[in-house]
Amino acid sequence: MYLHLGGGVMVAKKSIVGVFDLDNTSQSHITRAYLAKAEKKGEIINAAEDIPKSFVVCRDGEGMRIYLSQMAVQTLLKRANENSVY
């Protein structure tokens, strides 16, 4: 099954490592450093058409990908727990 993150981006549910609230987690210097390093490595994909509210860490064949989404964590988790494609 797949999860729609917004902006026409979909990811396989089995590849998702975690879904995080951007406002809460970006207060930590560790998270900011992680996101900055991922951006330098080209691992961040912006699926947000507006200001991002969350980020989704996914495992892919070569490593990790981080998707920025304008959807709230609660919305993404609700969609992930349903059996249909969103």
Side-chain angles (χ1 to χ4, degrees):
M1 296 308 252
Y2 291 88
L3 177 64
H4 182 255
L5 303 177
V9 176
M10 294 177 65
V11 296
K13 288 184 191 180
K14 65 181 180 180
S15 72
I16 297 173
V17 175
V19 180
F20 305 93
D21 183 276
L22 197 54
D23 286 336
N24 290 335
T25 58
S26 63
Q27 294 176 8
S28 166
H29 70 282
I30 296 169
T31 304
R32 287 194 309 269
Y34 173 71
L35 292 173
K37 184 177 178 181
E39 187 173 20
K40 286 181 184 178
K41 292 170 68 176
E43 295 176 342
I44 294 187
I45 298 166
N46 190 355
E49 297 170 358
D50 201 4
I51 297 171
K53 295 180 183 176
S54 61
F55 66 97
V56 181
V57 179
C58 295
R59 189 173 328 172
D60 70 2
E62 296 98 37
M64 300 296 237
R65 292 278 180 248
I66 300 168
Y67 296 88
L68 301 178
S69 176
Q70 70 187 26
M71 296 184 190
V73 171
Q74 296 84 357
T75 302
L76 292 173
L77 293 176
K78 180 180 174 188
R79 289 181 173 191
N81 289 327
E82 294 177 357
N83 291 328
S84 56
V85 177
Y86 275 95

